[in-house]
């Protein structure tokens, strides 16, 4: 839901700025699939393509996997578009500012944790098997940097926030510290309040709403914790939409985004009709 809303609002931002940029959503595992989204854009006469993953932190298992699927689809085309990639934006100031705004909005509503008395902010990122880190995947380092920048932007000391990794399964060692055991330990140590936020998830999903908002809450309360606050993901936060637009704009630099002339519009319509006839 939120991913579709983000794509829609980003497209509207380009329209409001008088720029001709089509924004569409593609799902790596789901619908619309990457192939479906690309074919829809092809029918509209796409000449240039910017890939903007909703993965702020780069990993071969996420961003690169999505890029690979795009390459696979485009590899079957005879007329390929110009192509650019947004590798990551884990330390982009606008992204960090949006994260900060999301946390502060929650604190304005629920009150700021009493860090002097031992309350903690936990930043939980999706986990990966540790072998990815050992092979050179930068994901772990980028998560830590996002956490540090967010903590600093909130005026927190290093001990007042924690960066953890969730969704571990299987027997292999994953990135540590793990979220669930960390939450359990905080409860056992007498931490009264935990606020938890998932900076690496631009939109809430089952992994945040069930695993973090519900299951982790039960763990904390069962082991002595008193107050557990889940801070929603960025979702449709206006500052996040501004950040997405800013990131996209930076990577579209040099490509003409101005309003098309009537002749250019007619040419694009003819290309779209030709593409449709070939696909049909």
């Amino acid at each position: 839901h939120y991913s579709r809303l983000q794509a829609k609002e980003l497209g509207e931002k380009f329209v409001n700025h008088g720029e001709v940029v089509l924004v569409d959503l593609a799902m790596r595992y789901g619908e619309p699939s990457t192939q479906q989204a690309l074919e829809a854009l092809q029918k509209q006469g796409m000449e240039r393509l910017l890939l903007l993953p909703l993965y702020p932190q780069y990993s071969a298992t996420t961003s690169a996997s999505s890029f690979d699927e795009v390459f696979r689809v485009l590899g079957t085309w005879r007329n390929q578009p110009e192509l650019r990639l947004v590798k990551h934006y884990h330390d982009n100031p606008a992204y960090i500012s949006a994260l900060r705004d999301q946390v502060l909005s929650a604190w304005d509503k629920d009150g700021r944790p009493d860090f002097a008395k031992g309350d903690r902010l936990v930043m939980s990122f999706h986990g990966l098997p540790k072998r990815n880190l050992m092979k050179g995947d930068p994901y772990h380092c980028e998560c830590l940097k996002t956490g540090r920048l967010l903590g600093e932007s909130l005026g927190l000391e290093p001990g007042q926030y924690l960066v953890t990794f969730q969704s571990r399964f299987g027997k292999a060692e994953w990135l540590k510290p793990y979220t669930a055991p960390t939450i359990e330990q905080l409860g056992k140590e007498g931490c009264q309040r935990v606020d938890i936020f998932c900076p690496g998830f631009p939109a809430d999903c089952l992994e945040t709403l069930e695993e973090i908002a519900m299951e982790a809450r039960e763990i904390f309360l069962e082991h002595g914790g008193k107050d557990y606050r889940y801070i929603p993901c960025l979702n449709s936060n206006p500052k996040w939409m501004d950040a997405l637009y800013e990131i996209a704009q930076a990577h579209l630099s040099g490509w003409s985004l101005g309003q098309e002339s009537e002749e250019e519009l007619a040419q694009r319509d003819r290309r779209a009709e030709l593409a449709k006839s070939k696909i049909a």
Side-chain angles (χ1 to χ4, degrees), residues 15-278:
V15 171
N16 293 337
H17 284 82
E19 297 160 336
V20 183
V21 178
L22 299 175
V23 179
D24 209 346
L25 177 69
M27 308 289 284
R28 183 64 181 90
Y29 305 102
E31 291 190 351
S33 68
T34 300
Q35 182 165 342
Q36 290 170 334
L38 289 174
E39 289 177 350
L41 290 171
Q42 183 187 44
K43 291 177 182 179
Q44 297 177 76
M46 172 183 62
E47 294 288 345
R48 304 183 183 101
L49 176 63
L50 173 67
L51 304 181
L52 174 55
L54 291 178
Y55 302 115
Q57 296 76 27
Y58 173 89
S59 172
T61 64
T62 54
S63 304
S65 175
S66 298
F67 297 154
D68 288 344
E69 177 62 8
V70 172
F71 302 153
R72 184 193 69 78
V73 174
L74 294 183
T76 66
W77 292 13
R78 287 295 173 264
N79 185 12
Q80 297 179 342
E82 294 180 53
L83 184 64
R84 291 182 181 177
L85 314 174
V86 179
K87 179 180 179 181
H88 51 192
Y89 43 93
H90 63 289
D91 56 357
N92 180 279
Y95 164 62
I96 299 299
S97 178
L99 294 176
R100 177 180 182 273
D101 183 75
Q102 188 72 2
V103 174
L104 291 181
S105 294
W107 288 352
D108 286 343
K109 177 182 177 182
D110 299 328
R112 186 182 178 94
D114 192 340
F115 293 105
K117 292 185 177 180
D119 293 348
R120 294 290 182 269
L121 172 65
V122 175
M123 306 176 196
S124 181
F125 292 83
H126 197 287
L128 291 178
K130 185 179 178 180
R131 63 176 178 271
N132 290 279
L133 171 63
M134 305 311 293
K135 290 180 179 179
D137 194 305
Y139 177 76
H140 179 259
C141 298
E142 294 190 2
C143 290
L144 294 181
K145 187 171 185 181
T146 297
R148 176 176 61 80
L149 292 174
L150 176 56
E152 290 174 353
S153 74
L154 293 167
L156 302 181
E157 298 296 328
Q160 295 174 337
Y161 66 88
L162 301 168
V163 172
T164 63
F165 297 90
Q166 66 191 72
S167 306
R168 175 174 62 105
F169 64 89
K171 296 181 179 180
E173 182 179 0
W174 282 44
L175 298 178
K176 293 181 178 179
Y178 303 137
T179 298
T182 299
I183 294 296
E184 178 179 329
Q185 187 61 33
L186 287 172
K188 290 179 177 179
E189 291 175 352
C191 177
Q192 296 297 296
R193 172 174 167 177
V194 160
D195 284 25
I196 191 162
F197 184 46
C198 300
F201 291 82
D204 273 308
C205 59
L206 286 177
E207 288 171 282
T208 61
L209 296 175
E210 289 191 4
E211 182 180 355
I212 301 303
M214 298 170 62
E215 295 174 9
R217 179 180 184 275
E218 292 178 3
I219 292 172
F220 183 63
L221 298 180
E222 286 175 0
H223 291 87
K226 302 299 182 184
D227 192 1
Y228 182 91
R229 308 287 180 102
Y230 173 70
I231 300 175
C233 294
L234 289 169
N235 296 327
S236 57
N237 183 306
K239 284 202 171 184
W240 167 231
M241 299 314 305
D242 290 341
L244 270 181
Y245 176 74
E246 181 177 312
I247 293 165
Q249 269 284 7
H251 288 81
L252 289 168
S253 177
W255 282 351
S256 175
L257 307 180
Q259 293 285 8
E260 295 170 299
S261 66
E262 291 187 7
E263 175 59 26
E264 289 171 329
L265 287 170
Q267 289 178 357
R268 186 154 71 88
D269 288 341
R270 287 195 292 271
R271 289 197 301 270
E273 289 301 319
L274 179 60
K276 289 179 183 178
S277 65
K278 289 182 178 179

